[in-house]
Amino acid sequence: IKQEIVDLENDRRAASLKFERAQLSDELNRGVNHWLALRATGQTVEQMRSRVERSCQPEILKHASEHLDRLTLGKYHNIWTPLGQRHLVVDDEHGESLKVEHLSNGTREQVFLAIRLAVMKDFAERGVELPMVLDDVVVNFDQLRTEAAVRTLMGFAEQGQQILMFTCHLHLAHLFENHGIEPIWLPARAGARETQRA
């Protein structure tokens, strides 16, 4: 027993295990701190990327966003493209970001109309004046958004942009007429007149 006690007193394994445990604990703490630093850096980079994506967009998308806000009565207000990608994203009034392909047909057409308006403005600023030709672009809009589109187009035309709007919808022609724009009624085709007589 005395010998066992002496052996235990001389046994350095406990001290060695304590030392190893301390080293592992220190290594673990350094690893956790490194991981936390990388995570914080990743979050900061992601926040910066998100801010850059939404605020450093081409001028055309900034102008298109302003038109979209008017066309959708404030429901959608920002058009942008994620860095390094080639698709459009739209922010809604609740802060949700939706790819254009996930929008309804009417909203998607409003996005494209807003972009066309912005492109025409960009051309005009560069001295290229072209008429804008639209053919039933509001056919999938509800009544409120149709009225918003008419107001937006009229405001755009007041800035000097020539707009030719074609439609086969009588209510749309009357809507412009109610805003002081006299429609030009195109003659019916000969075949259509014969069909109407029959």
Side-chain angles (χ1 to χ4, degrees), residues 4-5 12-13 20 49-50 52 63 77 83 88 103 117 129-131 143 154 160-161 164 168 170 195-197:
E4 285 181 15
I5 292 173
R12 300 284 179 228
R13 283 184 293 169
E20 280 182 40
R49 184 183 64 79
S50 180
V52 166
H63 293 304
H77 58 86
L83 290 175
L88 292 174
L103 300 171
L117 292 169
E129 295 185 18
L130 300 169
Q143 184 63 31
M154 289 180 58
Q161 177 64 51
L164 303 173
C168 61
L170 190 58
T195 307
Q196 288 174 348
R197 288 184 198 157

Side-chain angles (χ1 to χ4, degrees), residues 65-66 68-69 72 74-79 90-93 95:
S65 297
E66 294 166 7
L68 183 66
D69 187 57
T72 63
K75 185 167 182 179
Y76 297 95
H77 58 86
N78 191 29
I79 305 171
V90 176
D91 293 338
D92 70 9
E93 62 191 339

Side-chain angles (χ1 to χ4, degrees), residues 103-121:
L103 300 171
S104 69
N105 285 341
T107 304
R108 199 168 34 243
E109 288 177 16
Q110 288 171 317
V111 170
F112 298 143
L113 177 57
I115 291 171
R116 277 185 258 174
L117 292 169
V119 167
M120 294 307 291
K121 180 178 181 176

